[in-house]
Amino acid sequence: MQPEVDRIAHPWGDRTPLDPGRPWPVRVDSYLEPGVEEAQVERWVQSASLLHSNGDAMDIAVLGDRIVGVRGRAADRVNRGRLGPTDLFGWQANGSPDRLTTPLVRADGRLVPCDWDTAMARVVTETKELLRERGPGSIGFYTGGQLLLEEHYTLAVIARAGIGTGHLDGDTRLCSATAAEALKETFGCDGQPGSYTDVDHADVIALFGHNMAEAQPVLWMRVLDRLLGTDPPRLVCVDPRPTPVARHATVHLAPRAGTNVALLNALLHEVIRTGRIDHDFIAAHTVGFEELAERVAGCTPAWAAGICRVPVREIERAAEILGGAERLLSTVLQGVYQSHQATAAAVQVNNLQLVRGMLGRPGCGVLQMNGRPSAQNTRECGADGDLPGFRNWENDAHVTELAELWNVEPQRIPHHGPPTPAMQILRYAEQGSVRMLWISATNPAVSMPELHRIRGILGQDGLFTVVQDLYLTETAQLADVVLPAATWGEKSGTLTNADRTVHLCDKAVDPPGDARSDLDILLDFAHRMDFRDRDGRPLIGWHDPESAFEAWKRCSAGRPCDYTGLTYRRLRGGSGVQWPCTPDAPDGTERLYTDGITWAAPDVCETYGKDLVTGASVPGTEYRTLNPQGKAVLKAAEYLPPHEDTSDEYPLQLNTGRTLYHVHTRTRTGRAPQLVAAAPDMWAELSPGEAQRHGLTEGDLVEVTSARGSVCGRLRITGIRDGMVFLPFHYGYWDTPGGHRPDGDVGRAANETTVTDWDPVSKQPLFKAAAARVTLVKHSEGAVCPAPTTTASAPVHHRSVPPTVGGPDAVATQTTAAPERDAP
């Protein structure tokens, strides 16, 4: 059957109940632009989602050399045909009339069109002059989590072995740097231990700061189907907002922002106190249990309740569920990663799994989730500043191995100190030591904290800025050179999702005008710079996506993220495949650590760890003493109060986050009409109690102010915890009159208000760690808040607010199939 469903009003579609351990039934979701019938589609081209980290596999519909729709891929292990709202509708941004189609250079204070030779000559001349006069440390790169694997790897080689700079990072620093760091601190290496299929087996799923329903809607569909099957799992939700996850949870804990470590220590306290731990597993596979047990000995539920301001009994109930689980799956996302003590908290989630012995078996795992679509590729390829292949910059043997692979001298690869994170690169630009910044596929003029400062840095005369993007974003408007890039559907390459599944994305149509793929731009730059290896041959020896993929495979060989068993041919036609995939494991690896911890030994680990309070690196000698056999490290953490707390002037905690219908800074989703209609403009959320105390009602125009700036939006009254105000972070200025923030006006972007602060370990900015106040600008007088009603932003008083609907243009087709007999 093929029911049609409004996927804005019903974003998760219809249910296909899933019993434990059974295969997830197929449900193929599809959407074609109005007026196009499936029979008219000339070809379907294989791809995967570029708008979130879930990695939903899909086919692109092409008619007359245009993309006209998408459908889910039934054979794929990740989504079994399902697509979320941004998958179904976001592709329309490719055809937006304001796409960049020609390079731009700044002349007389304005950006003017030019040809590629002119633009690239400007970039190359500036690069060579800076290298000659100031050295490689004067050049930095900041890239986006929407490049493909082949592009990330090429950029890493150019930056490291071509330019020789340590200033390379990605916008994954904003979303999943803590995920990577937490995995490294515990397991010695990045790499997701669990698998999405653990949802099919778990009897308890604990979600820590993870609004799965909106961040990974297809994975949430899998959970919803389990909840309707026999023997459904119990959910434990930790989130200060009334998310869809919270509404389905057996226990919902809504702590104060910045108190995650206190809460997790109390949960560990209870699990250990009641003896619900796996002593044999702890002895065989971990180090550090005695210190952990000692650290949490005094962290009672009553102690944590006073800090977190949640009921003691609810903490105890959560601990009972976690301690009694037979198959426990834990997931973590921005509610932990972007909060105070981010890495310390994420590590405690790992500790919960380990002391319970819940690892490496179906239903037993941890998913330190990603935010950006190719965040995993950014990390494994080294475009986040780490060395490619999860190599250890402090291990000379790893650096030498990489140098041999690239045929350069080891000293050419910067490894005298830790990689430079994004916030520090911008600080160097502010101070004047970084004089050139190349920004690709990301929009820091909206996504970074304390935006007035970021605009000042990017707009200063002493910084030469190159922006490589699809549109004239807020960041591109500040650039000296703008390079028009091709995007998803217009180029080929691979994407790796949050559970290590590698998908091939084939080119479906040509990019508009003179736009080029990011890979072609980088290869052109490398050619013009004439980068050479130590034998005088070109440093970059590949010329297209497939040859770049083969080069990456050689880099990955023998490392945790081993791709050597994969080819484009292997990835074409069926399901994505999870790494490590080798000739000995040609079908990939569903779960890591099924037979012990494999990448924590001192000679092979990606890191020796860091101090969870200061972020200082642990010396290699100390790590060898602590963990000579390469076990998982149970790393304890003390709760410390947030740096910026509430006050009489700023009495509310400020929380920022995403909504289901938009991604990052809306550069793509803001150009899809159904998604725009679902969440068209900025809003703020307060609880009924806070609204009453402030004399506010639903729909009032309010101003949210912190010590750094203000934003304006309509008020939505939700079930959010008291003492907190929430702002969505997606909204900037490109779709406002003038395309930028008018001087002197109250802002629209949430990051006008956020604080310049970051986690000491992961260096991830803390977007959920500020204080603010809310004041009335104007009563609603019948105006409606633009926040969706289907999500965590659902109003408390439903009858007074029109429901979010998409209408005829948001109707997608769903095709279900008969259940299969055997699990995949």
Side-chain angles (χ1 to χ4, degrees):
M1 57 180 178
Q2 292 186 311
E4 294 185 335
V5 178
D6 181 339
R7 291 299 298 278
I8 296 298
H10 304 284
W12 303 286
D14 292 338
R15 302 276 53 80
T16 53
L18 174 60
D19 295 338
R22 304 297 298 169
W24 194 18
V26 168
R27 189 194 85 192
V28 177
D29 298 346
S30 62
Y31 176 78
L32 297 173
E33 71 176 37
V36 175
E37 300 293 332
E38 186 169 348
Q40 296 176 270
V41 175
E42 295 172 351
R43 64 184 185 277
W44 294 92
V45 180
Q46 177 176 336
S47 193
S49 177
L50 194 68
L51 290 176
H52 50 73
S53 67
N54 205 63
D56 302 336
M58 65 181 76
D59 293 322
I60 300 171
V62 179
L63 174 62
D65 294 322
R66 289 193 311 114
I67 296 175
V68 295
V70 293
R71 72 179 178 196
R73 291 181 61 80
D76 199 82
R77 63 173 305 278
V78 168
N79 56 322
R80 304 280 281 168
R82 293 161 184 79
L83 298 174
T86 58
D87 298 329
L88 289 165
F89 308 119
W91 57 268
Q92 296 167 100
N94 280 41
S96 180
D98 63 342
R99 281 287 299 274
L100 292 171
T101 59
T102 187
L104 306 173
V105 296
R106 190 165 295 281
D108 299 323
R110 297 186 306 111
L111 288 170
V112 297
C114 67
D115 58 27
W116 275 98
D117 283 340
T118 300
M120 293 306 292
R122 184 94 169 261
V123 175
V124 169
T125 298
E126 189 73 22
T127 304
K128 290 183 174 179
E129 287 182 1
L130 285 170
L131 286 173
R132 182 175 59 253
E133 296 173 5
R134 293 180 174 272
S138 64
I139 298 171
F141 294 87
Y142 182 55
T143 189
Q146 296 191 63
L147 298 191
L148 303 177
L149 176 150
E150 296 79 358
E151 295 162 341
H152 282 306
Y153 182 56
T154 302
L155 174 59
V157 178
I158 287 172
R160 292 291 188 238
I163 299 293
T165 181
H167 306 326
L168 167 65
D169 202 0
D171 66 5
T172 50
R173 184 66 55 186
L174 313 184
C175 73
S176 63
T178 300
E181 200 61 48
L183 293 170
K184 289 188 281 186
E185 292 299 320
T186 299
F187 302 106
C189 187
D190 197 350
Q192 199 71 261
S195 171
Y196 290 168
T197 54
D198 287 328
V199 170
D200 307 348
H201 301 273
D203 66 337
V204 172
I205 304 175
L207 301 99
F208 296 93
H210 183 193
N211 182 3
M212 184 191 288
E214 301 186 55
Q216 284 90 22
V218 169
L219 189 58
W220 179 239
M221 296 175 201
R222 199 168 194 142
V223 174
L224 288 176
D225 286 350
R226 276 296 319 274
L227 293 176
L228 283 182
T230 60
D231 195 16
R234 291 175 293 172
L235 305 187
V236 175
C237 173
V238 178
D239 200 304
R241 299 174 69 215
T243 65
V245 177
R247 293 176 209 141
H248 286 83
T250 305
V251 176
H252 173 210
L253 302 173
R256 291 190 81 234
T259 64
N260 289 326
V261 168
L263 177 61
L264 284 157
N265 278 354
L267 295 174
L268 281 162
H269 167 95
E270 283 295 279
V271 168
I272 294 171
R273 182 187 67 80
T274 56
R276 294 177 170 182
I277 60 177
D278 189 328
H279 293 279
D280 291 341
F281 184 94
I282 292 169
H285 301 299
T286 74
V287 295
F289 177 73
E290 291 76 14
E291 181 185 347
L292 175 67
E294 182 179 353
R295 170 65 67 188
V296 303
C299 300
T300 65
W303 167 83
I307 294 170
C308 305
R309 298 181 192 171
V310 295
V312 174
R313 180 56 190 145
E314 292 302 285
I315 298 176
E316 292 171 342
R317 284 185 67 212
E320 288 169 6
I321 292 171
L322 296 172
E326 295 182 3
R327 295 173 304 280
L328 171 64
L329 172 65
S330 293
T331 74
V332 192
L333 199 58
Q334 310 300 20
V336 171
Y337 301 162
Q338 295 179 344
S339 292
H340 176 61
Q341 293 191 279
T343 304
V347 165
Q348 303 319 302
V349 178
N350 294 342
N351 289 346
L352 269 171
Q353 291 292 139
L354 289 168
V355 300
R356 295 248 37 238
M358 298 287 175
L359 195 69
R361 294 180 283 122
C364 302
V366 61
L367 294 173
Q368 296 280 355
M369 293 296 293
N370 300 339
R372 304 293 280 141
S374 62
Q376 194 62 53
N377 299 130
T378 313
R379 284 150 43 186
E380 64 200 21
C381 293
D384 66 340
D386 290 329
L387 294 185
F390 298 152
R391 289 176 172 87
N392 188 342
W393 66 268
E394 295 181 277
N395 187 324
D396 288 342
H398 287 199
V399 178
T400 299
E401 181 181 70
L402 197 60
E404 289 296 321
L405 179 74
W406 293 343
N407 196 29
V408 299
E409 297 298 331
Q411 59 266 29
R412 189 164 163 182
I413 301 172
H415 61 285
H416 56 277
T420 315
M423 296 293 284
Q424 190 62 50
I425 294 174
L426 288 167
R427 178 62 173 153
Y428 288 152
E430 187 175 40
Q431 294 172 331
S433 61
V434 166
R435 293 299 185 95
M436 174 179 169
L437 184 58
W438 191 326
I439 301 168
S440 52
T442 191
N443 191 17
V446 176
S447 61
M448 282 287 189
E450 202 168 350
L451 287 182
H452 73 89
R453 174 175 172 263
I454 301 301
R455 287 189 292 266
I457 294 170
L458 297 177
Q460 63 185 327
D461 292 336
L463 180 67
F464 181 81
T465 308
V466 180
V467 172
Q468 186 172 310
D469 216 319
L470 313 182
Y471 314 98
L472 195 64
T473 64
E474 293 88 341
T475 302
Q477 293 174 41
L478 301 170
D480 296 285
V481 176
V482 179
L483 304 176
T487 185
W488 170 95
E490 300 166 358
K491 59 184 181 181
S492 295
T494 51
L495 281 171
T496 306
N497 77 346
D499 86 334
R500 299 172 282 104
T501 302
V502 185
H503 286 114
L504 178 65
C505 301
D506 275 327
K507 179 179 177 179
V509 298
D510 289 329
D514 290 331
R516 296 180 178 178
S517 75
D518 297 279
L519 179 62
D520 285 343
I521 294 170
L522 292 169
L523 292 175
D524 184 28
F525 174 69
H527 174 73
R528 291 172 188 264
M529 288 295 296
D530 197 27
F531 294 130
R532 298 279 169 171
D533 67 14
R534 61 187 170 192
D535 294 327
R537 295 191 296 264
L539 175 67
I540 307 295
W542 48 93
H543 60 279
D544 64 5
E546 190 163 7
S547 58
F549 185 77
E550 292 300 314
W552 161 248
K553 284 168 57 178
R554 292 189 291 274
C555 183
S556 74
R559 295 302 300 162
C561 50
D562 196 323
Y563 279 61
T564 53
L566 292 173
T567 62
Y568 273 27
R569 182 177 180 180
R570 170 73 174 81
L571 291 170
R572 189 170 280 126
S575 174
V577 180
Q578 290 173 284
W579 64 248
C581 180
T582 67
D584 293 333
D587 295 325
T589 306
E590 188 171 22
R591 293 174 189 85
L592 303 184
Y593 312 131
T594 56
D595 189 27
I597 310 303
T598 48
W599 291 100
D603 289 337
V604 298
C605 65
E606 185 182 3
T607 180
Y608 302 130
K610 297 177 182 177
D611 186 288
L612 294 184
V613 175
T614 67
S617 295
V618 174
T621 52
E622 183 177 325
Y623 183 79
R624 287 179 184 276
T625 302
L626 167 72
N627 197 17
Q629 296 178 320
K631 298 182 178 183
V633 179
L634 293 167
K635 212 160 193 175
E638 177 187 7
Y639 166 71
L640 300 171
H643 299 153
E644 180 171 300
D645 210 341
T646 55
S647 64
D648 290 342
E649 185 176 7
Y650 302 110
L652 299 172
Q653 291 191 304
L654 174 62
N655 187 5
T656 68
R658 64 165 297 166
T659 186
L660 170 64
Y661 301 105
H662 287 302
V663 175
H664 205 48
T665 62
R666 296 172 62 249
T667 49
R668 291 179 64 88
T669 55
R671 290 172 168 88
Q674 299 89 339
L675 303 176
V676 172
D681 209 343
M682 188 63 172
W683 73 88
E685 294 176 21
L686 286 176
S687 69
E690 289 298 343
Q692 184 177 27
R693 280 187 283 275
H694 285 75
L696 301 171
T697 58
E698 172 78 26
D700 284 352
L701 188 64
V702 298
E703 185 173 318
V704 180
T705 303
S706 74
R708 286 141 309 266
S710 300
V711 298
C712 202
R714 294 284 173 184
L715 178 65
R716 168 58 51 83
I717 300 176
T718 76
I720 192 173
R721 67 162 292 126
D722 287 342
M724 180 175 285
V725 57
F726 172 84
L727 296 173
F729 60 60
H730 307 288
Y731 299 90
Y733 305 100
W734 64 264
D735 56 342
T736 63
H740 57 84
R741 183 187 175 186
D743 293 337
D745 282 13
V746 174
R748 186 193 192 204
N751 284 322
E752 304 287 359
T753 63
T754 49
V755 62
T756 299
D757 192 9
W758 54 84
D759 180 68
V761 185
S762 67
K763 316 304 182 193
Q764 182 162 348
L766 304 182
F767 294 103
K768 304 174 185 291
R773 65 172 178 264
V774 176
T775 54
L776 175 69
V777 175
K778 184 180 180 181
H779 283 298
S780 67
E781 298 176 353
V784 176
C785 175
T789 62
T790 52
T791 63
S793 303
V796 170
H797 307 295
H798 291 272
R799 294 180 182 178
S800 64
V801 179
T804 298
V805 296
D809 288 346
V811 171
T813 300
Q814 296 179 164
T815 305
T816 56
E820 300 176 23
R821 288 183 175 274
D822 299 314

